[in-house]
Amino acid sequence: MNYLNKTLEQFQTDMILAAKKGFPILLSGSIIFLLFTFLPFVLPLKPVCLIWILGMSAIFPFGLVLCKMMNVHLLSTDNPLSVLGGMIAAAQAFFIPVFILVYRHMPEYLPFTIGLLGGSHFLPYMWIYRSKAYLFITLGTCSSALVLGGYFVEQAFTLVPLATSIVYAIGILLIFKELKTDAV
């Protein structure tokens, strides 16, 4: 099919099939946040915060490695929605100064901030992938960061990443269900 003759719906369908709704990125995030859960048990707060800020930048590259291993084509050069998805993901780089500011002035609120800002970036993928799973991921990540990171500040570095990891894992299961339904 000619690139110019494709409809938006065809681009979305192609993206859904090739990228498998981006589940390897979520798997990467789930693994990394699960690892973050245990950091406060072995390290003091200052290095934990720095690992959080730097570790967030590992999610996407690790996700790409998982994509390669699972034969998932997330970065399709022939689909403009892939470019849009990449732009949405890349916009998170602008959150880094916020994370640094929170780290310098209120480090105990870093899980709250990362959870809310990071979780909110998933909302556009609901449209790109025609996926209610991404609405669940957005609301689950943001609400758990809001409640656990805002009200249980003392345990936030353990509770927020654990909740995020669980939300992502449930989101992956929902995506698998959607992919199965889409295939029928």
Side-chain angles (χ1 to χ4, degrees):
M1 183 177 291
N2 187 324
Y3 180 80
L4 297 175
N5 293 329
K6 281 190 174 184
T7 65
L8 178 58
E9 188 172 310
Q10 289 168 322
F11 280 121
Q12 282 179 300
T13 300
D14 291 349
M15 184 77 175
I16 289 166
L17 295 173
K20 305 285 190 253
K21 297 189 179 190
F23 86 86
I25 301 297
L26 292 170
L27 180 58
S28 170
S30 185
I31 292 167
I32 287 173
F33 276 108
L34 186 60
L35 293 173
F36 284 0
T37 302
F38 301 103
L39 290 176
F41 297 113
V42 294
L43 295 171
L45 180 64
K46 198 165 192 150
V48 168
C49 291
L50 292 173
I51 291 169
W52 270 64
I53 293 170
L54 297 172
M56 295 298 296
S57 64
I59 292 173
F60 189 71
F62 181 45
L64 291 179
V65 169
L66 293 174
C67 283
K68 185 91 168 159
M69 291 169 49
M70 298 175 187
N71 201 28
V72 173
H73 304 286
L74 188 70
L75 303 175
S76 172
T77 57
D78 61 344
N79 191 327
L81 291 181
S82 179
V83 175
L84 177 61
M87 290 168 55
I88 292 166
Q92 289 186 93
F94 294 104
F95 300 164
I96 294 171
V98 175
F99 300 157
I100 293 170
L101 188 68
V102 170
Y103 165 71
R104 289 181 46 117
H105 298 284
M106 299 180 299
E108 64 276 8
Y109 285 98
L110 198 58
F112 169 86
T113 308
I114 288 176
L116 280 173
L117 292 176
S120 67
H121 103 280
F122 287 113
L123 192 58
Y125 294 107
M126 180 184 166
W127 177 80
I128 289 174
Y129 292 128
R130 295 189 302 244
S131 172
K132 291 180 182 163
Y134 277 98
L135 178 60
F136 169 80
I137 293 162
T138 299
L139 296 176
T141 303
C142 290
S143 61
S144 60
L146 177 66
V147 172
L148 299 173
Y151 295 105
F152 300 96
V153 178
E154 294 293 319
Q155 297 86 23
F157 279 96
T158 302
L159 296 178
V160 172
L162 180 60
T164 301
S165 181
I166 291 169
V167 167
Y168 287 8
I170 293 169
I172 292 166
L173 294 175
L174 293 172
I175 286 171
F176 286 161
K177 184 178 177 187
E178 288 177 352
L179 289 170
K180 194 174 192 176
T181 303
D182 292 344
V184 173

